[in-house]
Amino acid sequence: MSRYPTLRCCGYELDRTIGTGGFGKVKLATHTLTGEKVAVKIMDKTKLGKDLPRVKLEISALKSLSHPNICKLYQVIETETHCYVVMEYCSGGELFDHIVEKSRLSEMESRMFFRQIISAVSYLHDNGYAHRDLKPENVLLDKEQNLKIIDFGLCAKPQGGMDSLLLTSCGSPTYAAPELIQGVKYHGSEVDIWSMGVILYALLCGCLPFESDNIDELFKKILRGKYIEPGWLSSGSKRLLRRMLCVDPLKRIRINELINDPWIKLGFGCPPSTLSHAIDQRKDVECLEVMSRHFNVEAEILWSRLSKWKYDSETATYLLLLNLKKSGFPLMLKKKEIPKPQPELII
Ligand SMILES: Cn1cc(Br)cc1C(=O)Nc1[nH]nc2c1CN(C(=O)N[C@H](CN1CCCC1)c1ccccc1)C21CC1
C-alpha cells in the first residue's frame, strides 16, 4: 500500500519521486479517470513551520494564473498533516539540465526559450505578481520542449500593485539583483528582469555571469555588475545582456522594452505573445458533456460548480480533459474499477 493512501482514494495512482526540495517532494502520478500524467507536490504541514505561508501563497497565486508557460495547477488536496498540490507534469525536465547537456545553446534556441520566459513573466507582471526566484532550476520543459515556470513560493503580489516597493530579501543569491542583496527597497518587476538576464546569459554562455564559492565575493561581483562577454556572443545579444544586467534598477530595461528588443524579435518578426490564452477559464462544451455523462449530472449544474474554480477533483478532471483535447486524444473517462470479489478461500 502506498505511503499516501489519500491520493489513491482521491483518484491518483502514485509513481516514482521526481524531485525533492526543502518543501517536501514531487512524485509522478496518474489521474485514474483520464489516464493523464501529473506531478504531485507533497508537503508535510507538520514540518513546514514558518514556511507554511509560502505554500499558501504559491497555491493562491497558481489558482489565479493560467498561461501556456506557467506550470498549471489542477487540484489541491489537504489533510490534517499533508498538503498535496497536483500540477502539470513536465517530462522534459529542467532547462538547466538541457543547457548543461548541450554545454550552451545557439542564439536561435536561446531566443526560442527566452521568448517564452518573457511571455510568462510579462503575463505575471500584468497580473500584479513578481516571481522573485527565477532561475534555470525553476524553468521546466514539457514533452514538446515548451517552457514552464514553477516554484511560486517566493512570488509577491504587492498590495499597491507592481509600482509599490518590496523589501523582503529572498531567492537564490546567484540570480538575485544588486538592490535585492543590498536589502534596499526594490520593485519586484525589476528584480525579475535581472534574474531573466542571468538566465539569458546561462542559455547563451553555458555558465553564470556571477559565480563564487564565497558569498561575500559573489555579492561583490553582483554589486559591480561586471561579467565576462565570451567572443561568440553577437553584438545584439551583448547589448541586450548589458541592458538586463544593469546594476541601477532605474536604468535597467523594462519588460515592455524587452518585448520589443530587436534581438528578441530577430527571426520571428514579432514580439513574444503577451496575452494569456485563458483557454482553461472558458467553457468547453465537449469536455463538459463527457463529464456530465460520466457523473450523470446536468451539464449546466456541473458548469455552475466548475466555474467557481475550486481546484477540487472536478476541476482536475475538467482541466485534464482539456489537455487530452489539446493533444488530439479521444475524450473519455475511465469507469471506476469495481474491485473484483476475492474468490472464497477453499480450505
Ligand atoms: C526534474 N524532472 C525530470 C523529469 Br523527466 C521530470 C522532472 C520534473 O521535475 N517534472 C515536473 N513536472 N511538474 C513539476 C515537476 C517538478 N515540480 C516542482 O515543483 N519541482 C520543484 C523543484 N524546485 C526547483 C528548485 C527547488 C525545488 C520542487 C518543489 C518542492 C519540492 C520538490 C521539488 C513540478 C510540480 C511542478
Side-chain angles (χ1 to χ4, degrees), residues 24-125:
K25 63 175 76 170
V26 173
K27 290 179 88 71
L28 176 61
T30 301
H31 180 248
T32 316
L33 282 179
T34 58
E36 281 286 85
K37 292 264 181 274
V38 294
V40 186
K41 216 172 182 181
I42 302 172
M43 290 159 280
D44 182 334
K45 293 197 297 190
T46 62
K47 292 181 184 155
L48 277 176
K50 63 177 177 35
D51 285 327
L52 186 61
R54 273 179 61 176
V55 173
K56 301 279 183 200
L57 175 76
E58 175 170 40
I59 291 170
S60 69
L62 288 170
K63 281 183 177 177
S64 58
L65 296 168
S66 167
H67 187 278
N69 299 119
I70 290 175
C71 194
K72 193 79 190 98
L73 172 70
Y74 295 136
Q75 185 175 358
V76 180
I77 302 165
E78 279 214 62
T79 66
E80 249 177 63
T81 56
H82 285 82
C83 179
Y84 304 92
V85 183
V86 184
M87 297 182 71
E88 179 176 3
Y89 174 54
C90 306
S91 59
E94 291 178 14
L95 176 63
F96 194 82
D97 295 332
H98 185 78
I99 300 170
V100 168
E101 237 167 70
K102 303 182 111 179
S103 76
R104 62 183 165 91
L105 307 187
S106 69
E107 285 226 351
M108 189 38 118
E109 191 176 9
S110 301
R111 183 178 295 115
M112 192 262 294
F113 284 128
F114 197 63
R115 284 169 61 96
Q116 295 177 66
I117 296 178
I118 294 173
S119 178
V121 173
S122 71
Y123 167 79
L124 260 181
H125 292 178

Side-chain angles (χ1 to χ4, degrees), residues 337-345:
E337 276 165 28
I338 298 158
K340 297 181 190 63
Q342 297 301 323
E344 292 303 311
L345 275 180

